[in-house]
Amino acid sequence: PRAFHERKAVVSTQSTWLDLSFNSIRRPHGLGNLTNLQDLYFVRNKITKIENLDHLVNLTQIELGANRIRVIENLEKLTNLTHLWLGKNKITKLAGLDTLQNLTLLTLQSNRIEKLENLDNLPSLEQLYGRSSETAKAHRG
């Protein structure tokens, strides 16, 4: 059998974006000193839990589409987020977004959400993407 050798990418601590899409990642980790990141992409991995990102307070965009996430959590400290992509996951409830006052775009299509609620706490939200039945149930005051 072939031995597996983990590839290590050299990323500058000054980097403002990082794309780790299509890598079969199960847990975001190893981003400790990348505090200048503004854009982070984890498309089509195997992530089940949003974690180890709370120190990346300069993030404005996170793409977590096509993973295995069930709960929106651990985003409270990422108050600079303007774009959050969560489509094609296993999310069942819209929660954990209350502190994201700058969020302008939220994608939730192809999840398991029955009802879009708790959107009143997102005053900057301009674009919401979900199944048409989900979006129709979302009523903002």
Side-chain angles (χ1 to χ4, degrees):
R2 262 193 280 169
F4 174 76
H5 297 285
E6 185 177 348
R7 291 183 288 165
K8 301 241 182 213
V10 177
V11 179
S12 166
T13 58
Q14 299 304 309
S15 295
T16 59
W17 68 271
L18 180 61
D19 190 343
L20 295 170
S21 300
F22 305 97
N23 279 296
S24 297
I25 295 169
R26 294 183 188 278
R27 290 183 66 227
H29 66 281
L31 304 173
N33 60 351
L34 300 177
T35 56
N36 288 315
L37 285 181
Q38 296 174 8
D39 303 327
L40 182 58
Y41 303 92
F42 279 111
V43 179
R44 199 164 297 211
N45 280 290
K46 297 179 180 180
I47 296 170
T48 57
K49 183 176 182 179
I50 302 170
E51 60 185 343
N52 301 322
L53 303 177
D54 58 346
H55 65 287
L56 301 174
V57 296
N58 290 313
L59 284 176
T60 58
Q61 300 188 62
I62 300 178
E63 166 61 275
L64 289 163
N67 278 285
R68 299 174 181 173
I69 297 167
R70 295 182 182 276
V71 177
I72 302 170
E73 60 187 339
N74 300 319
L75 298 174
E76 297 83 14
K77 295 181 182 176
L78 305 182
T79 58
N80 289 313
L81 275 183
T82 59
H83 295 76
L84 179 58
W85 288 276
L86 293 169
K88 296 185 180 179
N89 277 289
K90 298 179 180 194
I91 298 167
T92 58
K93 184 177 180 184
L94 190 54
L97 301 171
D98 292 351
T99 62
L100 306 182
Q101 300 295 302
N102 295 310
L103 198 66
T104 60
L105 178 139
L106 176 61
T107 67
L108 297 163
Q109 71 279 7
S110 300
N111 273 288
R112 298 175 180 174
I113 299 170
E114 293 288 323
K115 180 180 178 186
L116 289 180
E117 53 193 349
N118 302 321
L119 295 174
D120 292 334
N121 297 325
L122 302 174
S124 301
L125 191 63
E126 297 171 2
Q127 299 177 64
L128 174 64
Y129 297 95
R131 286 192 330 246
S132 58
S133 61
E134 292 170 343
T135 308
K137 291 180 185 176
H139 177 70
R140 296 183 61 188

